[in-house]
């Protein structure tokens, strides 16, 4: 397959892509044309169909389409001038090619998570974690495929798992080095801290905010999911439940970042650092990987409020 | 009964009060003495026992005690010099005398709330509201007695009901005047907006933050309570549930005030205004009522970031 | 008349509109063309004259022009390609058709205001209010026609009256429900709170900031207008004058919103809530009414710092 | 006279001071005593009357009293233990001794101001300035005696004049060095920028916020005073009036510092810098002069958000 | 020479300009064209080469090029349509014509600086200042030519000198009027306050941030330069060194403006005011000079958070 | 030795302590007394000498004194009523008993640091690190004994080393898990990130801000120290020097926390997270260790803007 990330100015292309969006617009001369956003796992590409004539079959957004056309450079970005288009047929393409996916081994990462759970000593936390990750096969399937974001960081299949494991790993390191931390509470909170994203974001290839996601947010949703499951576990200590849910609620660290409570216990504080560290290092990594390879300075990043520089010497 | 609010400098007192707090301290000369905070429904009073000799029986904080002593003025505030003290016996006092209570008619207010519910047209919202206010007698009992705050505004028995009705009344007015508002959703959200305070604050006479209250906060708790009840109501539309919970989550209006989401629908916006209006006008009313009656300017209020003035002309 | 709000892609139009702005620009090919913003009471429309040839008479911005052309869709918005244009002649059009106007009955609203004044008990406030609303016919005429904003909320003929009455109504409701409020002071302050907008904004069809408006702002201007009139009313109590002017100065509630003082008296606080409630509910109403009717989510609103959603279930 | 600033620990004092405040308090033993704040031009002093017996005549706050007593040091500050007290009689003291006063020559400073006015070229600004400073003898008298603050900077008799001249001098320097500035507008605005303080603060010895001062503030009051006077000057250009008033309104530079408008013209910007420079340098000068002479570091200043240091090397 | 600032719509031009940037872009029709930014001392101009045919010789960004073409107006701005282009040869142009330059006399300004140094009384500060400004000829040469900014204020050859002298002059005025200030320390700090800009910005015609400039900033760089030189001056008092470096570090006045310390001594405070006054008045002057000459209001300035107005009456 | 942390109410004490501060104050009755702060490694204790009679020898602050007295409880805190006092003689006490000291093994921690340096691959960074930690014996001695703060976190002997190693360890973990990070640069920056504290804070037992510390701060001082040493290392790549110094300058992460630059490279970002994580977890650990052991909630912490809770279940 010819991936979007490998296309070069001037090339002729004949390939299937996912049509993420489709608009009908008008040229200055008043002629209709289509403007589309094509996607595969390597990225996205603007595409235009200037001549709505023969060879342009009917298709809709979120369908897989086979396009013939030429890559051109427009205002510094590549664009595809499409000459022919039709819906692709099932079998003609592999859906896995059209969504960005973690570069890491999903099963290995999931297995790492399970190993952490196996070592939990607090029985109720172990029961809770197992009830999701070990016993709930549907949850496991969905957890492995979910992304951790619409864009920004870990916005790909397996992203939620990769980010969750990254945070759990950091928390494990903290627990080894700062003995005041309660390992089981901290690691359990880390495993579930972003579980609300499974309802906040729809699955790929859409990967967009859901209605519930926008109205309630993953912080509330996650705490509610855990709270509901806890009520099914006999003898779960109420104080432990409150502190676990507190860790989830407080994991953004500041009210203005959407946490309704600031960290009050040290595990909530540690989780906030682990989440922030993994998320921001990954965000800057993605930013550095996506920037012009030859540039030292990549321009102002609003998120980091700084002109970002590659480390070179 | 001689209420705290009516005591004057120099008077001799022999009365039962609730001992809210009790500390053992030392004078500069190294002698032990007791410092207490006494409370009845009219307010609180500092009290001291300088001589720990005969006549001073054993007692603990949160007990009702019978004190004999003299009211003195110290640094502008009244204080009770206690000469004799003993535990009061049940029957000797009426617990209702020792907690601040709404000046309004509780049953009338509750009946007003029920009338609003009776007029709901959306069946699921009606069912939800009835399931709490009409069908759940224990909830009704607790709701009528709860306060809406530890201090600040509506911090008295019946305060939660009084504030809730005040907000519902405002929302009813809004719904009459701004036809774009969905009355049932808005009024239902108003009724439940502070329901989480029933778990955030303990009951009187303690009326203090609970463990859950500090770790989770009434915004999260309230939304979770409503969410759990909704799951028991067959056919409750998921979108309606999300929007109702959103109204509760967003009712503080700003992330930095503890709402994990800003208002996204117009009913959430209206609820935020109604809550803020009723709360702040009540807060300033309590502030004006508690200040020196003869003073025009009452000094800087941190909450209002202004020197507060009585309206006079 | 064919209103702008009713035009559809592809239609031929021959109608008079107000030419709000006019620019001479150049195509990439270096040819001059005109770009205009046309306005009638239903909205505004981009228009272009690509061929500056015969049929294109001379005209200026802020003139009424008769245009012949075709509606096209360009990048998601409608645009008028004008083929012929000339100045419209008086009599050919009704100026009332070209400015957005309140949907409510102006005379009814004004009469409602006067009824409130008739019930004032404080003689000096009554005198002051009558001196403007009842006795000053020119003021009444101008007040009825003024808008309350350049854009945002109530930016139409009658908007100042509609918003003022909305705020007065809310304040009347507050005065009924919170007896600590001084009704006459609160309602009088509500009537005059935005009176400075009559000098801050020019009249329709221009409805733009004046020099004084930009340099001084309606908060200062309004207080100064009231202060000057008060000096002509014998025996007006100075303390009352100061508190009334304070309400006007403080009605934005926060220094960073342009109020030079924060509310110090409870009527100023109440006025701030009434103004904010009416303004923000109207703003969101206009936003919901102007958005795509079929969309549930209307996109990020900077003012509300939230993605705005229609209430649907 | 024995000034407060010269008193030392242990000294016996027999002198007249202004009694700024007077409170009746109780000792721990329940005995009444008086706590007073005494003032003369050199500063203020806490005073106590522990024995309310013979020798203690009746007196009230804001009266001049003759006290006999001993200076003691209490918790690092000096305090006067008063043994005898009586009201002082007129003639026994000079009121000028009891209010802090500028160290500069008032008539010289006022004459400097008048010289600036004499050089104004714009006739309306000259007329306006003369109408206050040259023609209005009562205004001149009051202006010379007023302070520029309750505390902070220039809080003494002549302080308003001293600060005003300091700002005018800076503006004159600016006008010489930045030719884009309109000298007459800038200097006229500088002269009047704090004129509202004459109504915001009462005169000495009280020197406290007035009702109008707290409700309206000197920024609004000053602009209104100038606006009212301008209306009596025939032919005063409206645009000039608006820009002059704008300079007064905007002289605090930021909305959150109480200016309802940010500087829009360059003279308003320059006035803001001149006011801020003179005020802050004077504030730090007063802070350095009042601190412990032997200390290099004077402790954290909230205003400057820094630990303040004497310059020494 | 035909300066960019004097070009008018429609004119034919044949002139040498500095090609500041050069991009190869594509038209909608897919044809390559060049987009350039041309610069001379009077300003910058967009230029396009639509036809990459004969007459278009090779050239690179930051080269001097001879262009033939026509000035056109595009979307309100002028643009040059280039028909022919070639590299200019040395001798054909004067590099001084292509960089914006102070309108003031550089040698006179530098001489003014030296006169201030000659009057220093503190020997170590005098030695330090002489070691740069008097003894270090290379430094003097570079200091005279440097700009004080990439854009904003004093972004031209001689700008650093002009701004430095402006700040020194203001400080000299302060020292005359506020005797508490230590003149030598203040003026010395003023001279060096922006010396770090010599390494933060590259020289003209590039005048852009250097690697060190972006990573370290002129505040740190400047203090380090002075610190290193001080270590070479025997007997320089360490406290004086610390206070001088403190003035440089604190001259932005607030942490959020990049100063790692807030002013702790009064000279640091005064320097902050002088720097801010000169910079902001110059910024607004440049803004007023660059705006449309016929417009009274120049539109919203983000820096000043205000719609900027010319002073007119 | 009887450590301060082990004293109980009512006990008689006869022991040597460090007299951190000493003030002469007056009782209400006008009698002089001494108020002191005594310190040993376990904490501090208020002490009073009420009777300045025989048995009270002369002594000064920062001297070791032998006190006889009784422990009393005053307003919830312990206090020592001193009856006799004299200077302790050398040999009578061990200075190590009077300063708080890390609980970890200093030599082991230092050896860990050296092992990291031994593995550096970049020769110039290795040379730089060795020049301090391996070659400079005086530096090593001072580094091992320094604290990392006056109060807050790691404010004890060995605190700088303990915190530095904690940060280096975290960075080592990051480098293992996020391969984009340059290990040598990150670890070298971590080692030096707080080196400026060696000049910002004086040594124990004083451990207070120095003049340089207050005027310049450890961020600037640290970068300057490293910059000066780098200039002595032949061939040190300038870009590497700039990036290393950038990491030190940016390690507080935000301008408002005193960093003059925000992180621009990913190592600076990672260092900021490591520093913040180690500092905040340690701060909360110290807070939990110092609070009442029996309390679950420890009260509002200003630093964490939250009521802090022990983790219990």
């Amino acid at each position: 397959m010819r991936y979007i990330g490998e296309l070069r100015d001037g090339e002729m292309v004949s390939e299937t892509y996912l049509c993420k969006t489709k608009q009908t617009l008008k040229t200055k001369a008043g002629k209709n044309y289509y403007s589309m956003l094509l996607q595969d796992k390597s990225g996205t590409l603007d595409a235009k169909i200037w001549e709505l004539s023969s060879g342009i079959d009917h298709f809709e957004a979120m369908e897989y389409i086979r396009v013939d056309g030429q890559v051109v450079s427009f205002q510094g970005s590549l664009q595809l001038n499409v000459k022919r288009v039709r819906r692709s047929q099932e079998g003609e393409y592999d859906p896995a090619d059209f969504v960005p996916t973690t570069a890491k081994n999903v099963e290995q990462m999931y297995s790492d998570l399970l190993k952490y759970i196996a070592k939990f000593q607090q029985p109720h936390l172990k029961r809770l974690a197992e009830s999701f990750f070990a016993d709930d096969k549907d949850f496991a399937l969905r957890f492995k495929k979910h992304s951790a974001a619409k864009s920004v960081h870990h916005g790909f299949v397996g992203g939620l798992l990769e980010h969750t494991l990254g945070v759990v790993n950091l928390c494990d390191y903290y627990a080894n080095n700062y003995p005041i931390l309660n390992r089981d509470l901290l690691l359990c909170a880390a495993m579930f801290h972003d579980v609300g994203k499974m309802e906040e974001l729809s699955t790929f290839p859409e990967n967009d905010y859901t209605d519930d996601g926008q109205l309630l947010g993953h912080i509330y949703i996650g705490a509610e999911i855990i709270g509901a499951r806890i009520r099914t576990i006999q003898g779960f200590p109420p104080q432990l439940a409150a502190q676990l849910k507190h860790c989830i609620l407080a994991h953004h660290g500041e009210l203005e970042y959407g946490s309704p409570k600031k960290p009050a216990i040290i595990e909530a504080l540690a989780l906030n650092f682990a989440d922030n560290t993994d998320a921001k290092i990954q965000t800057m990594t993605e930013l550095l990987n996506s920037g012009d390879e030859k540039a030292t300075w990549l321009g102002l990043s609003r998120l980091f409020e700084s002109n970002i520089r590659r480390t070179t010497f």
Side-chain angles (χ1 to χ4, degrees), chain A:
Chain A
M1 177 166 176
R2 291 279 295 285
Y3 288 113
I4 285 170
E6 300 160 357
L7 298 178
R8 293 290 170 268
D9 187 6
E11 292 184 344
M12 302 304 299
V13 176
S14 180
E15 187 56 86
T16 291
Y17 298 113
L18 174 68
C19 176
K20 194 88 184 262
T21 67
K22 176 195 176 194
Q23 283 179 287
T24 306
L25 302 175
K26 262 198 171 55
T27 65
K28 284 204 172 179
K31 211 169 68 172
N32 284 333
Y33 68 95
Y34 293 165
S35 179
M36 298 154 290
L37 189 70
L38 305 183
Q39 176 182 295
D40 66 17
K41 64 191 291 183
S42 69
T44 59
L45 178 68
D46 258 315
K48 308 288 179 195
I49 306 183
W50 297 110
E51 297 291 333
L52 305 182
S53 51
S54 70
I56 307 302
D57 290 1
H58 181 74
F59 65 97
E60 297 287 346
M62 293 310 296
E63 292 185 334
Y64 295 92
I65 55 175
R66 177 121 201 137
V67 292
D68 289 38
Q70 184 173 20
V71 180
V72 299
S73 169
F74 178 61
Q75 296 188 340
S77 301
L78 293 183
Q79 205 174 70
L80 186 66
N81 277 346
V82 177
K83 305 299 179 193
R84 301 173 55 91
V85 65
R86 65 168 169 80
R87 282 180 176 130
S88 300
Q89 291 154 0
E90 277 198 34
E92 219 181 339
Y93 59 91
D94 178 356
D97 285 336
F98 299 92
V99 290
T101 305
T102 177
K104 301 191 175 170
N105 183 319
V106 166
E107 295 308 325
Q108 180 59 52
M109 290 193 289
Y110 201 80
S111 157
D112 287 353
L113 265 192
L114 293 178
K115 278 180 209 150
Y116 280 118
I117 297 174
K119 284 188 279 184
F120 278 12
Q121 313 222 335
Q122 207 291 334
H124 301 94
L125 292 174
K126 191 171 192 174
R127 183 80 289 280
L128 177 68
E130 287 174 346
S131 83
F132 282 101
F133 290 100
D135 304 347
D136 188 336
K137 297 307 173 197
D138 174 61
F139 174 87
L141 210 65
R142 291 190 295 120
F143 191 86
K144 290 175 186 171
K145 291 206 172 158
H146 220 82
S147 90
K150 181 180 171 187
S151 48
V152 199
H153 72 91
H154 296 97
F156 43 73
V157 167
L160 178 59
L161 172 56
E162 181 176 329
H163 171 56
T164 298
L165 183 61
V167 173
V168 170
N169 282 336
L170 273 164
C171 287
D172 178 60
Y173 177 85
Y174 296 167
N176 288 341
N177 284 270
Y178 303 99
I180 197 172
L181 294 165
N182 183 297
R183 174 188 298 271
D184 287 356
L185 174 58
L186 178 57
L187 267 67
C188 188
M191 280 174 198
F192 290 123
H193 83 282
D194 268 353
V195 76
K197 287 195 172 170
M198 294 170 76
E199 298 192 7
E200 188 187 40
L201 294 165
S202 58
T203 54
F204 279 99
E206 196 183 46
N207 189 38
D208 205 348
Y209 288 106
T210 63
D211 215 50
D212 273 28
Q214 297 221 61
L215 287 168
L216 308 176
H218 74 275
I219 289 184
Y220 169 79
I221 295 172
E224 199 193 41
I225 288 173
I226 298 309
R229 182 66 54 95
I230 282 174
R231 282 192 288 276
T232 71
I233 298 176
Q234 210 171 2
F236 203 106
Q239 284 202 325
L240 177 57
Q243 287 167 92
L244 177 63
K245 289 196 286 184
H246 171 76
C247 288
I248 297 174
L249 291 180
H251 85 264
H252 279 196
E254 301 285 343
L255 301 194
E256 55 265 44
Y257 301 155
S259 272
K261 282 284 171 185
K262 297 226 358 162
I265 60 175
I266 197 164
E267 288 79 14
L269 186 79
L271 175 58
N272 169 232
F273 284 122
D275 177 42
N276 207 14
T277 301
D278 188 71
K280 291 282 173 53
I281 291 183
Q282 174 72 10
T283 302
M284 208 191 239
T285 300
E286 294 180 12
L287 204 155
L288 290 167
N289 287 341
S290 71
D292 176 355
E293 287 170 34
K294 286 168 293 184
T296 303
W297 290 95
L298 298 179
L300 185 72
S301 156
R302 284 207 196 168
L303 183 70
F304 292 106
E305 294 174 330
S306 177
N307 189 349
I308 299 304
R309 185 194 196 281
R310 289 184 196 291
T311 306
T312 64
F313 48 89

